[in-house]
Amino acid sequence: LALSAPAPSPTSDALAAWVAPLCPGLDGSRAALEVDDVGALCVRATRAYNAGQQIFAVSDQALLSPAAAYADKDVGPPLRDVARAAGPGFG
């Protein structure tokens, strides 16, 4: 699982700080958000697991609606530009 993000930056640090408390196990006890060797923000296991064992969960509080994303003062304007360029069906 990898999320597109630039190399380490205040933005990726802020994303990690925001999402980790909302995802049980993503606090480093089982997994952690890290920047990989190509600069993408990814989830890495921090210990070995057994088959079927839950690594982390994503709570509904960690998910954004399109309306919330578009309303964000930093992310909203460029996201609206992408949506307009993509056309119907985006967001």
Side-chain angles (χ1 to χ4, degrees):
L1 174 66
L3 306 171
S4 294
S9 69
T11 302
S12 60
D13 292 343
L15 174 62
W18 172 71
V19 78
L22 300 173
C23 299
L26 198 56
D27 58 1
S29 64
R30 294 178 272 176
L33 282 174
E34 298 178 359
V35 176
D36 69 10
D37 57 348
V38 296
L41 196 58
C42 66
V43 176
R44 292 193 195 265
T46 56
R47 62 180 178 88
Y49 291 93
N50 297 320
Q53 185 177 359
Q54 180 178 324
I55 299 172
F56 72 96
V58 179
S59 80
D60 61 354
Q61 295 176 356
L63 304 176
L64 291 175
S65 68
Y70 293 144
D72 182 89
K73 68 180 180 76
D74 296 319
V75 176
L79 186 58
R80 285 191 295 272
D81 292 342
V82 169
R84 275 193 289 279
F90 182 88

Coordinates of all heavy atoms in Angstrom, one line a residue:
L1 N 0.9 -1.2 0.0 CA 0.0 0.0 0.0 C 0.9 1.2 0.0 O 1.7 1.4 0.9 CB -0.9 0.0 1.2 CG -1.8 1.2 1.5 CD1 -2.8 1.3 0.4 CD2 -2.4 1.0 2.9
A2 N 0.8 2.1 -1.0 CA 1.5 3.3 -1.0 C 0.6 4.5 -1.4 O -0.2 4.3 -2.2 CB 2.7 3.2 -2.0
L3 N 0.8 5.6 -0.7 CA 0.1 6.8 -1.0 C 1.1 7.7 -1.7 O 2.2 7.9 -1.3 CB -0.4 7.5 0.3 CG -1.2 6.6 1.2 CD1 -1.3 7.3 2.5 CD2 -2.5 6.3 0.6
S4 N 0.6 8.3 -2.8 CA 1.5 9.3 -3.5 C 1.7 10.5 -2.6 O 0.8 11.1 -2.1 CB 0.9 9.7 -4.8 OG 0.8 8.6 -5.7
A5 N 3.0 10.8 -2.5 CA 3.4 12.0 -1.7 C 4.8 12.3 -2.0 O 5.6 11.5 -2.4 CB 3.3 11.7 -0.2
P6 N 5.2 13.6 -1.9 CA 6.6 14.0 -2.2 C 7.5 13.4 -1.1 O 7.0 12.9 -0.1 CB 6.5 15.5 -2.1 CG 5.3 15.8 -1.4 CD 4.3 14.7 -1.5
A7 N 8.8 13.5 -1.3 CA 9.8 13.1 -0.4 C 9.5 13.8 1.0 O 8.7 14.7 1.1 CB 11.2 13.5 -0.9
P8 N 10.2 13.4 2.0 CA 9.9 13.9 3.4 C 9.7 15.4 3.3 O 10.5 16.2 2.8 CB 11.1 13.6 4.2 CG 11.7 12.4 3.5 CD 11.4 12.5 2.0
S9 N 8.6 15.9 3.9 CA 8.3 17.3 3.9 C 7.4 17.6 5.1 O 6.9 16.7 5.7 CB 7.6 17.7 2.6 OG 6.3 17.1 2.6
P10 N 7.2 18.8 5.4 CA 6.2 19.2 6.4 C 4.8 18.6 6.1 O 4.1 18.2 7.0 CB 6.2 20.7 6.5 CG 7.5 21.1 5.9 CD 7.9 20.0 4.9
T11 N 4.5 18.5 4.8 CA 3.2 18.0 4.5 C 3.1 16.5 4.8 O 2.1 16.0 5.4 CB 2.9 18.2 3.0 OG1 3.0 19.6 2.7 CG2 1.5 17.7 2.5
S12 N 4.1 15.7 4.4 CA 4.0 14.2 4.7 C 4.1 14.0 6.2 O 3.4 13.1 6.7 CB 5.1 13.5 3.9 OG 6.4 13.9 4.3
D13 N 4.9 14.8 6.9 CA 4.9 14.7 8.4 C 3.6 15.0 9.0 O 3.1 14.4 9.9 CB 6.0 15.7 8.9 CG 7.4 15.3 8.6 OD1 7.6 14.1 8.1 OD2 8.3 16.1 8.7
A14 N 2.9 16.0 8.4 CA 1.6 16.4 9.0 C 0.6 15.3 8.7 O -0.3 15.0 9.5 CB 1.1 17.7 8.3
L15 N 0.6 14.7 7.5 CA -0.3 13.6 7.2 C -0.1 12.5 8.1 O -1.0 11.9 8.7 CB -0.1 13.1 5.7 CG -0.9 11.9 5.3 CD1 -2.4 12.2 5.5 CD2 -0.6 11.4 4.0
A16 N 1.2 12.1 8.4 CA 1.5 11.0 9.3 C 1.0 11.3 10.7 O 0.4 10.5 11.4 CB 3.0 10.7 9.3
A17 N 1.2 12.6 11.1 CA 0.8 13.0 12.5 C -0.7 12.9 12.6 O -1.3 12.6 13.7 CB 1.3 14.3 12.8
W18 N -1.4 13.3 11.5 CA -2.9 13.3 11.6 C -3.5 11.9 11.5 O -4.4 11.5 12.2 CB -3.4 14.2 10.4 CG -4.9 14.1 10.2 CD1 -5.8 14.6 11.0 CD2 -5.6 13.4 9.2 NE1 -7.1 14.3 10.6 CE2 -7.0 13.6 9.4 CE3 -5.2 12.7 8.1 CZ2 -8.0 13.1 8.6 CZ3 -6.2 12.2 7.2 CH2 -7.5 12.4 7.5
V19 N -3.0 11.1 10.6 CA -3.7 9.8 10.3 C -3.3 8.7 11.3 O -4.1 7.9 11.6 CB -3.4 9.3 8.9 CG1 -2.0 8.7 8.7 CG2 -4.5 8.3 8.4
A20 N -2.0 8.7 11.8 CA -1.6 7.6 12.7 C -2.5 7.5 14.0 O -2.9 6.3 14.3 CB -0.2 7.8 13.2
P21 N -2.9 8.5 14.7 CA -3.8 8.3 15.8 C -5.2 7.8 15.4 O -5.9 7.3 16.3 CB -3.9 9.7 16.5 CG -2.8 10.5 15.9 CD -2.5 9.9 14.6
L22 N -5.6 8.0 14.2 CA -6.9 7.5 13.7 C -6.9 6.1 13.2 O -7.9 5.6 12.8 CB -7.4 8.5 12.7 CG -7.6 10.0 13.1 CD1 -7.9 10.8 11.9 CD2 -8.6 10.1 14.2
C23 N -5.7 5.5 13.2 CA -5.6 4.2 12.6 C -4.9 3.3 13.6 O -3.7 3.2 13.7 CB -4.8 4.2 11.3 SG -5.5 5.2 10.0
P24 N -5.6 2.6 14.5 CA -5.0 1.7 15.5 C -4.0 0.8 14.9 O -4.2 0.1 13.9 CB -6.2 0.9 16.1 CG -7.4 1.8 15.8 CD -7.1 2.5 14.5
G25 N -2.8 0.8 15.5 CA -1.7 0.0 15.0 C -0.7 0.7 14.1 O 0.4 0.2 13.8
L26 N -1.1 1.9 13.6 CA -0.3 2.6 12.7 C 0.6 3.6 13.5 O 1.3 4.4 12.9 CB -1.1 3.4 11.7 CG -0.4 3.9 10.4 CD1 0.3 2.8 9.7 CD2 -1.4 4.6 9.5
D27 N 0.7 3.4 14.8 CA 1.4 4.3 15.6 C 2.9 3.9 15.8 O 3.6 4.4 16.6 CB 0.8 4.4 17.0 CG 0.6 3.1 17.7 OD1 1.0 2.1 17.1 OD2 0.0 3.1 18.8
G28 N 3.3 2.9 15.1 CA 4.6 2.3 15.2 C 4.6 1.0 16.0 O 5.6 0.3 16.0
S29 N 3.5 0.7 16.7 CA 3.5 -0.5 17.5 C 3.4 -1.8 16.6 O 3.8 -2.8 16.9 CB 2.3 -0.5 18.5 OG 1.1 -0.4 17.8
R30 N 2.7 -1.6 15.4 CA 2.6 -2.7 14.5 C 3.0 -2.2 13.1 O 3.5 -3.0 12.3 CB 1.1 -3.1 14.4 CG 0.7 -3.8 15.7 CD -0.8 -4.2 15.7 NE -1.6 -3.1 16.1 CZ -2.9 -3.1 16.2 NH1 -3.6 -4.1 15.8 NH2 -3.5 -2.0 16.6
A31 N 2.8 -1.0 12.7 CA 3.1 -0.5 11.4 C 3.4 1.0 11.6 O 3.0 1.7 12.6 CB 2.0 -0.7 10.4
A32 N 4.0 1.6 10.5 CA 4.3 3.0 10.6 C 4.2 3.6 9.2 O 4.5 2.9 8.2 CB 5.7 3.3 11.2
L33 N 3.9 4.9 9.1 CA 3.9 5.6 7.8 C 5.4 6.1 7.6 O 6.0 6.7 8.5 CB 3.0 6.8 7.8 CG 1.5 6.6 7.6 CD1 0.7 7.8 7.8 CD2 1.3 6.0 6.3
E34 N 6.0 5.8 6.5 CA 7.4 6.1 6.2 C 7.4 6.6 4.8 O 6.6 6.2 3.9 CB 8.3 5.0 6.5 CG 8.3 4.5 7.9 CD 9.3 3.3 8.1 OE1 9.9 2.8 7.1 OE2 9.4 2.9 9.2
V35 N 8.5 7.3 4.4 CA 8.8 7.6 3.0 C 9.7 6.6 2.5 O 10.7 6.2 3.1 CB 9.4 9.0 3.0 CG1 9.8 9.4 1.5 CG2 8.4 10.1 3.5
D36 N 9.3 6.0 1.3 CA 10.1 5.0 0.7 C 11.2 5.5 -0.1 O 11.4 6.8 -0.2 CB 9.2 4.0 -0.1 CG 8.6 4.6 -1.3 OD1 9.0 5.7 -1.8 OD2 7.8 3.9 -1.9
D37 N 12.0 4.7 -0.8 CA 13.2 5.1 -1.5 C 12.8 5.9 -2.8 O 13.8 6.5 -3.4 CB 14.1 3.9 -1.9 CG 13.3 2.8 -2.7 OD1 12.1 2.9 -2.8 OD2 14.1 2.0 -3.2
V38 N 11.6 6.0 -3.2 CA 11.2 6.8 -4.4 C 10.4 8.1 -3.9 O 9.9 8.8 -4.7 CB 10.5 6.1 -5.5 CG1 11.3 5.0 -6.1 CG2 9.2 5.5 -4.9
G39 N 10.3 8.3 -2.6 CA 9.7 9.5 -2.1 C 8.2 9.3 -1.9 O 7.5 10.3 -1.6
A40 N 7.6 8.1 -2.0 CA 6.2 7.9 -1.7 C 6.0 7.6 -0.2 O 6.8 6.9 0.4 CB 5.7 6.7 -2.6
L41 N 4.9 8.1 0.3 CA 4.5 7.8 1.7 C 3.9 6.4 1.7 O 3.0 6.1 0.9 CB 3.5 8.8 2.2 CG 3.3 8.9 3.7 CD1 4.6 9.2 4.4 CD2 2.3 9.9 4.0
C42 N 4.4 5.5 2.5 CA 4.0 4.1 2.5 C 3.8 3.6 3.9 O 4.2 4.2 4.9 CB 4.9 3.2 1.7 SG 6.5 3.0 2.5
V43 N 3.1 2.5 4.0 CA 2.9 1.8 5.3 C 3.9 0.6 5.4 O 3.9 -0.2 4.5 CB 1.4 1.2 5.4 CG1 1.3 0.5 6.7 CG2 0.4 2.4 5.3
R44 N 4.7 0.6 6.4 CA 5.6 -0.5 6.6 C 5.3 -1.2 7.9 O 5.1 -0.6 8.9 CB 7.0 0.1 6.6 CG 7.5 0.6 5.3 CD 9.0 0.8 5.4 NE 9.5 1.7 4.4 CZ 10.0 1.3 3.2 NH1 10.0 0.0 3.0 NH2 10.4 2.1 2.3
A45 N 5.5 -2.5 7.9 CA 5.4 -3.3 9.1 C 6.5 -3.0 10.0 O 7.6 -2.8 9.5 CB 5.3 -4.8 8.8
T46 N 6.3 -2.9 11.3 CA 7.4 -2.7 12.3 C 7.7 -3.9 13.1 O 8.6 -3.8 13.9 CB 7.0 -1.5 13.2 OG1 5.8 -1.9 13.9 CG2 6.8 -0.2 12.5
R47 N 7.1 -5.0 12.8 CA 7.4 -6.3 13.4 C 6.8 -7.4 12.5 O 6.1 -7.2 11.6 CB 6.9 -6.4 14.8 CG 5.4 -6.3 14.9 CD 4.9 -6.4 16.4 NE 3.5 -6.3 16.6 CZ 2.7 -7.3 16.6 NH1 3.1 -8.5 16.4 NH2 1.4 -7.1 16.8
A48 N 7.2 -8.6 12.9 CA 6.7 -9.8 12.1 C 5.2 -10.1 12.5 O 4.8 -9.8 13.6 CB 7.5 -11.0 12.4
Y49 N 4.5 -10.7 11.5 CA 3.1 -11.0 11.7 C 2.8 -12.4 11.4 O 3.4 -13.1 10.6 CB 2.2 -10.1 10.8 CG 2.2 -8.7 11.3 CD1 3.2 -7.8 10.7 CD2 1.4 -8.2 12.3 CE1 3.2 -6.5 11.2 CE2 1.5 -6.9 12.7 CZ 2.4 -6.1 12.2 OH 2.5 -4.8 12.6
N50 N 1.7 -12.9 12.0 CA 1.1 -14.2 11.7 C 0.1 -14.1 10.7 O -0.6 -13.0 10.6 CB 0.5 -14.9 13.0 CG 1.5 -15.1 14.0 OD1 2.7 -15.5 13.7 ND2 1.2 -14.9 15.3
A51 N -0.2 -15.1 9.9 CA -1.2 -15.0 8.9 C -2.6 -14.7 9.5 O -2.9 -15.2 10.6 CB -1.3 -16.4 8.2
G52 N -3.3 -13.8 8.9 CA -4.6 -13.4 9.4 C -4.6 -12.3 10.5 O -5.6 -11.8 10.9
Q53 N -3.4 -12.0 11.0 CA -3.3 -11.0 12.1 C -3.5 -9.6 11.5 O -3.0 -9.2 10.5 CB -1.9 -11.1 12.8 CG -1.8 -10.2 14.0 CD -0.4 -10.4 14.6 OE1 0.4 -11.2 14.2 NE2 -0.2 -9.6 15.7
Q54 N -4.3 -8.8 12.2 CA -4.6 -7.4 11.8 C -3.3 -6.6 12.1 O -2.8 -6.6 13.1 CB -5.8 -6.8 12.6 CG -6.0 -5.4 12.2 CD -7.2 -4.8 12.9 OE1 -8.2 -5.5 13.2 NE2 -7.2 -3.6 13.2
I55 N -2.9 -5.8 11.0 CA -1.7 -5.0 11.2 C -2.2 -3.6 11.6 O -1.6 -3.1 12.6 CB -1.0 -4.9 9.8 CG1 -0.5 -6.3 9.5 CG2 0.2 -3.9 10.0 CD1 0.1 -6.4 8.1
F56 N -3.1 -3.0 10.9 CA -3.7 -1.7 11.3 C -5.1 -1.6 10.8 O -5.5 -2.3 9.9 CB -2.8 -0.5 10.9 CG -2.8 -0.2 9.5 CD1 -3.6 0.8 9.0 CD2 -2.0 -0.9 8.6 CE1 -3.6 1.1 7.6 CE2 -2.0 -0.6 7.2 CZ -2.8 0.4 6.8
A57 N -5.8 -0.7 11.3 CA -7.2 -0.4 10.9 C -7.3 1.1 10.5 O -6.6 1.9 11.1 CB -8.2 -0.8 12.0
V58 N -8.2 1.4 9.6 CA -8.4 2.8 9.2 C -9.8 3.1 9.7 O -10.8 2.6 9.2 CB -8.4 3.0 7.7 CG1 -8.7 4.4 7.3 CG2 -7.0 2.5 7.1
S59 N -9.9 4.0 10.7 CA -11.2 4.4 11.2 C -11.9 5.3 10.2 O -11.3 6.0 9.4 CB -11.0 5.1 12.6 OG -10.7 6.5 12.4
D60 N -13.2 5.4 10.4 CA -14.0 6.3 9.5 C -13.6 7.8 9.7 O -13.9 8.6 8.9 CB -15.5 6.1 9.7 CG -16.0 6.3 11.1 OD1 -15.2 6.6 12.0 OD2 -17.2 6.3 11.3
Q61 N -13.0 8.1 10.8 CA -12.6 9.5 11.1 C -11.3 9.8 10.3 O -11.0 11.0 10.2 CB -12.3 9.7 12.6 CG -13.6 9.6 13.4 CD -13.2 9.7 14.9 OE1 -12.1 9.8 15.3 NE2 -14.3 9.7 15.7
A62 N -10.7 8.8 9.7 CA -9.4 9.1 8.9 C -9.8 9.3 7.5 O -8.9 9.7 6.7 CB -8.5 7.9 9.1
L63 N -11.0 9.1 7.1 CA -11.4 9.2 5.7 C -12.0 10.6 5.4 O -12.8 11.1 6.2 CB -12.4 8.1 5.3 CG -11.9 6.7 5.5 CD1 -12.9 5.7 5.2 CD2 -10.6 6.4 4.7
L64 N -11.7 11.2 4.3 CA -12.2 12.5 4.0 C -13.3 12.4 2.9 O -13.1 11.6 1.9 CB -11.1 13.4 3.4 CG -10.1 13.9 4.4 CD1 -9.0 14.7 3.7 CD2 -10.7 14.8 5.5
S65 N -14.3 13.2 3.0 CA -15.3 13.2 1.9 C -14.7 14.2 0.8 O -13.9 15.1 1.1 CB -16.6 13.7 2.4 OG -16.5 15.1 2.8
P66 N -15.2 14.1 -0.4 CA -14.8 15.1 -1.4 C -15.1 16.5 -1.0 O -14.3 17.4 -1.2 CB -15.6 14.7 -2.6 CG -15.9 13.2 -2.5 CD -16.0 13.0 -1.0
A67 N -16.3 16.7 -0.3 CA -16.6 18.1 0.1 C -15.6 18.6 1.1 O -15.2 19.8 1.0 CB -18.0 18.0 0.7
A68 N -15.2 17.8 2.1 CA -14.2 18.2 3.0 C -12.8 18.5 2.4 O -12.2 19.5 2.7 CB -14.0 17.2 4.1
A69 N -12.4 17.6 1.4 CA -11.2 17.9 0.7 C -11.2 19.1 -0.1 O -10.3 19.9 -0.1 CB -10.8 16.7 -0.2
Y70 N -12.3 19.4 -0.8 CA -12.4 20.6 -1.6 C -12.5 21.8 -0.7 O -12.0 22.9 -1.1 CB -13.7 20.5 -2.5 CG -13.6 19.5 -3.6 CD1 -14.8 18.8 -4.0 CD2 -12.4 19.2 -4.3 CE1 -14.7 17.9 -5.0 CE2 -12.4 18.3 -5.3 CZ -13.5 17.6 -5.6 OH -13.5 16.7 -6.6
A71 N -13.0 21.7 0.5 CA -13.1 22.9 1.4 C -11.8 23.2 2.1 O -11.6 24.3 2.6 CB -14.2 22.6 2.4
D72 N -10.8 22.3 2.0 CA -9.5 22.6 2.7 C -8.8 23.8 2.0 O -8.8 23.8 0.7 CB -8.6 21.4 2.6 CG -7.3 21.6 3.3 OD1 -7.2 21.3 4.5 OD2 -6.4 22.0 2.6
K73 N -8.3 24.7 2.8 CA -7.8 25.9 2.2 C -6.5 25.7 1.4 O -6.1 26.4 0.5 CB -7.5 27.0 3.2 CG -6.4 26.7 4.2 CD -6.3 27.8 5.2 CE -5.2 27.5 6.3 NZ -3.9 27.7 5.8
D74 N -5.7 24.6 1.7 CA -4.5 24.3 1.0 C -4.7 23.3 -0.1 O -4.1 23.5 -1.2 CB -3.4 23.8 2.0 CG -3.0 24.8 3.1 OD1 -2.9 26.0 2.7 OD2 -2.9 24.4 4.2
V75 N -5.4 22.3 0.2 CA -5.6 21.2 -0.8 C -6.7 21.4 -1.8 O -6.7 21.0 -2.9 CB -5.8 19.8 -0.1 CG1 -6.1 18.7 -1.0 CG2 -4.6 19.5 0.8
G76 N -7.7 22.1 -1.3 CA -9.0 22.3 -2.1 C -8.8 22.9 -3.4 O -9.2 22.3 -4.4
P77 N -8.1 24.1 -3.5 CA -8.0 24.7 -4.9 C -7.3 23.9 -5.9 O -7.8 23.7 -7.0 CB -7.3 26.0 -4.6 CG -7.7 26.3 -3.2 CD -7.7 25.0 -2.5
P78 N -6.1 23.3 -5.6 CA -5.5 22.4 -6.6 C -6.3 21.2 -6.9 O -6.4 20.7 -8.1 CB -4.1 22.1 -6.1 CG -4.1 22.6 -4.7 CD -5.2 23.5 -4.5
L79 N -7.0 20.6 -5.9 CA -7.8 19.4 -6.1 C -9.0 19.8 -7.0 O -9.4 19.0 -7.9 CB -8.3 18.9 -4.8 CG -9.1 17.5 -4.9 CD1 -8.2 16.5 -5.5 CD2 -9.5 17.1 -3.5
R80 N -9.6 20.9 -6.9 CA -10.7 21.3 -7.7 C -10.2 21.5 -9.2 O -10.9 21.1 -10.1 CB -11.3 22.6 -7.2 CG -12.2 22.4 -6.0 CD -13.0 23.7 -5.7 NE -12.2 24.8 -5.3 CZ -11.8 25.1 -4.0 NH1 -12.2 24.3 -3.0 NH2 -11.1 26.1 -3.8
D81 N -9.0 22.0 -9.4 CA -8.4 22.1 -10.7 C -8.3 20.7 -11.3 O -8.6 20.5 -12.5 CB -7.0 22.8 -10.7 CG -7.2 24.3 -10.3 OD1 -8.3 24.8 -10.4 OD2 -6.1 24.8 -9.9
V82 N -7.8 19.8 -10.6 CA -7.6 18.4 -11.1 C -9.0 17.8 -11.4 O -9.1 17.2 -12.5 CB -6.9 17.5 -10.0 CG1 -7.0 16.0 -10.4 CG2 -5.5 17.9 -9.8
A83 N -10.0 18.1 -10.6 CA -11.3 17.5 -10.8 C -11.9 18.1 -12.1 O -12.5 17.4 -12.9 CB -12.2 17.8 -9.7
R84 N -11.7 19.4 -12.3 CA -12.2 20.0 -13.6 C -11.5 19.4 -14.8 O -12.1 19.2 -15.8 CB -12.0 21.6 -13.5 CG -13.1 22.3 -12.8 CD -13.0 23.8 -13.1 NE -11.9 24.4 -12.4 CZ -11.8 24.8 -11.1 NH1 -12.9 24.6 -10.3 NH2 -10.8 25.3 -10.5
A85 N -10.2 19.2 -14.7 CA -9.4 18.7 -15.8 C -9.8 17.2 -16.1 O -9.9 16.8 -17.2 CB -7.9 18.8 -15.6
A86 N -10.1 16.5 -15.0 CA -10.5 15.1 -15.2 C -11.9 14.9 -15.8 O -12.1 13.9 -16.4 CB -10.4 14.4 -13.8
G87 N -12.7 15.8 -15.5 CA -14.1 15.7 -16.0 C -15.1 15.0 -15.1 O -14.7 14.6 -14.0
P88 N -16.2 14.7 -15.6 CA -17.3 14.0 -14.8 C -16.8 12.7 -14.2 O -16.0 11.9 -14.9 CB -18.4 13.8 -15.8 CG -18.2 14.7 -16.9 CD -16.7 14.9 -17.0
G89 N -17.2 12.4 -13.0 CA -16.9 11.2 -12.4 C -15.7 11.3 -11.4 O -15.5 10.4 -10.6
F90 N -15.0 12.4 -11.4 CA -13.9 12.6 -10.4 C -14.4 13.2 -9.2 O -15.0 14.3 -9.3 CB -12.8 13.5 -11.0 CG -11.6 13.6 -10.1 CD1 -10.6 12.8 -10.1 CD2 -11.6 14.7 -9.2 CE1 -9.5 12.9 -9.3 CE2 -10.5 14.9 -8.4 CZ -9.5 14.0 -8.4
G91 N -14.3 12.6 -8.0 CA -14.7 13.2 -6.8 C -16.2 13.3 -6.7 O -16.8 14.0 -6.0

